[in-house]
Amino acid sequence: MPDRRSARQAAVLNALPAQGADALLVTHLPNVRWLTGFSGSAALLLLTADRASLITDFRYAGQAPEEAGSVAEVIIERASVWDRLQRVLRDVAFETLAIESHVLSVRDAERVRGMFRGRTLPMADTVEQFRQVKDDDEVAAIRAAGTLASEALAEILPTIHAGERELDVASRLEAALRRRGSEWHPFQTIVASGPRAAHPHARSSPRQLARGELLLIDYGAQVGGYCADVTRTVALGEVDERQRAVYQLVCDAQRRACLGLRSGMSGREGDALARDLISSRGYGDAFGHSLGHGLGLEVHEAPRLAATAEAALPAGAVVTVEPGIYLAGWGGVRLEDDVWLGPDGPVLLTDGQTELIILDA
Ligand code: ZN
Ligand code: ZN
């Protein structure tokens, strides 16, 4: 059986002629990793019909051949990887080189143009389109990250108390994630209490938690390079009717979407599974963001679940499902789980906690 990375390279190469290119310069590091396994922080990958050349620097002289040596020609450069690319491009026979226009800086695009005698062709999301569909190992890595995320939160929830700061909670959660093997925090942990939870992307702050408030926690874990992305909203001590009702509505909308998502649906239809219910109860304006995003080597990748997303959700994609209701001055509720669109329907990769957890805070 061919190495899956070689199969990925072949699939991407096969897609190039239809777009008018013979070769692709891959500069986006998650794409380099997906195509070769190389996980370092500096690399250029030139994919042509007859070879894959990975150019990196001396820091990775040991790591790069180990990770990528079986599926790419590894070139270690002591000075500049761009200078080395220029020398590599001097000897190639192809005419049209695609560059990743969605990530390459204008300066670097100019640099490639200046060093290549043929034509350069801006191309966006070519590798990303393929990355949407996860294989078994990728799904397993996201599931492992999701499990680790659930365990870390479960560990720290009983320790949360009124009077401490959001930052204290974030710090204990991040430590618990690391202790359990998370490689990194894929994004800044959000711990938003009381009225601050009305801001969907609030950062953790020095604000002190108080009894009777809802606490929104949005955090990630990473295993084997793959991310999980989870949001829970919990109560600090007793909560009132409205807090319960808003929580329940978000929860019902989230369940509806988690169970109803299917590959082949458009991203808009997926988004509507949750949005229609929230809107029907009069909270449509309070759910200002899209329902979810793809998840993999990056925490935000294709496909999108959004009112503006007409593309069909591919079989094998992993997406987040994260409806929310945010009311200025009052607070917010968001629940987020990660779902794999498997052959037999949607499969939760995170714990799918539904009951409102009331902490003895
Ligand atoms: Zn999140
Ligand atoms: Zn998310």
Side-chain angles (χ1 to χ4, degrees), residues 187-188 190 200-201 216-220 228-232 293 295 299-300 320 322 334-338:
F187 55 91
Q188 288 190 50
I190 297 172
H201 264 193
L216 187 155
I217 303 174
D218 187 349
Y219 67 108
D229 182 4
V230 179
T231 306
R232 295 288 176 255
H293 51 85
L295 200 59
V299 76
H300 290 110
T320 68
E322 47 178 313
R334 179 165 68 253
L335 294 173
E336 178 179 26
D337 282 282
D338 305 339

Side-chain angles (χ1 to χ4, degrees), residues 114-132:
M115 67 177 64
F116 182 51
R117 50 158 182 73
R119 195 166 71 94
T120 58
L121 181 69
M123 210 182 264
D125 300 319
T126 305
V127 181
E128 282 81 353
Q129 290 297 322
F130 288 96
R131 281 175 46 206
Q132 293 186 79

Side-chain angles (χ1 to χ4, degrees), residues 270-335:
D271 178 89
L273 290 169
R275 192 171 307 280
D276 287 352
L277 179 62
I278 290 176
S279 297
S280 73
R281 304 284 182 80
Y283 285 101
D285 290 343
F287 175 20
H289 56 72
S290 54
L291 180 64
H293 51 85
L295 200 59
L297 287 170
E298 292 177 275
V299 76
H300 290 110
E301 53 179 62
R304 292 186 311 126
L305 301 179
T308 53
E310 293 301 334
L313 304 172
V318 174
V319 292
T320 68
V321 177
E322 47 178 313
I325 291 179
Y326 311 93
L327 301 169
W330 179 82
V333 174
R334 179 165 68 253
L335 294 173

Side-chain angles (χ1 to χ4, degrees), residues 16 19-21 24 96-101 113 119-123:
L16 296 180
Q19 302 189 58
L24 174 65
T96 306
L97 173 63
I99 54 175
E100 296 187 294
S101 60
R113 255 181 222 119
R119 195 166 71 94
T120 58
L121 181 69
M123 210 182 264

Side-chain angles (χ1 to χ4, degrees), residues 18-231:
Q19 302 189 58
D22 310 310
L24 174 65
L25 177 65
V26 185
T27 46
H28 191 43
L29 290 170
N31 289 343
V32 171
R33 184 167 186 173
W34 188 76
L35 289 163
T36 68
F38 177 62
S39 64
S41 65
L44 301 173
L45 174 67
L46 182 64
L47 269 188
T48 72
D50 53 0
R51 71 175 57 184
S53 305
L54 178 75
I55 307 171
T56 182
D57 65 47
F58 69 97
R59 292 171 297 169
Y60 298 111
Q63 181 185 331
E66 201 173 289
E67 289 181 336
S70 62
V71 295
E73 165 201 22
V74 176
I75 302 171
I76 305 295
E77 169 61 39
R78 292 206 70 83
S80 158
V81 290
W82 291 99
D83 289 347
R84 177 56 77 99
L85 177 68
Q86 182 164 21
R87 276 180 277 151
V88 170
L89 284 175
R90 212 177 283 155
D91 300 326
V92 298
F94 57 80
E95 285 305 315
T96 306
L97 173 63
I99 54 175
E100 296 187 294
S101 60
H102 57 303
V103 288
L104 203 59
S105 69
V106 174
R107 186 187 65 164
D108 289 339
E110 291 299 328
R111 190 136 69 166
V112 177
R113 255 181 222 119
M115 67 177 64
F116 182 51
R117 50 158 182 73
R119 195 166 71 94
T120 58
L121 181 69
M123 210 182 264
D125 300 319
T126 305
V127 181
E128 282 81 353
Q129 290 297 322
F130 288 96
R131 281 175 46 206
Q132 293 186 79
V133 178
K134 269 64 184 181
D135 63 33
D136 291 350
D137 288 349
E138 295 178 291
V139 174
I142 298 170
R143 193 194 298 270
T147 301
L148 186 157
S150 301
E151 290 172 355
L153 184 65
E155 176 190 321
I156 69 126
L157 278 181
T159 70
I160 296 175
H161 55 272
E164 71 174 329
R165 304 172 311 157
E166 293 168 359
L167 283 166
D168 300 322
V169 176
S171 140
R172 288 206 300 289
L173 178 55
E174 288 174 357
L177 288 161
R178 286 294 223 168
R179 211 160 45 239
R180 288 166 188 277
S182 179
E183 291 151 10
W184 186 235
H185 314 304
F187 55 91
Q188 288 190 50
T189 304
I190 297 172
V191 176
S193 60
R196 287 194 75 253
H199 308 295
H201 264 193
R203 300 290 176 222
S204 308
S205 83
R207 184 180 186 278
Q208 292 180 316
L209 317 186
R211 273 188 200 84
E213 290 179 347
L214 293 175
L215 181 65
L216 187 155
I217 303 174
D218 187 349
Y219 67 108
Q222 196 177 39
V223 172
Y226 285 83
C227 306
D229 182 4
V230 179
T231 306

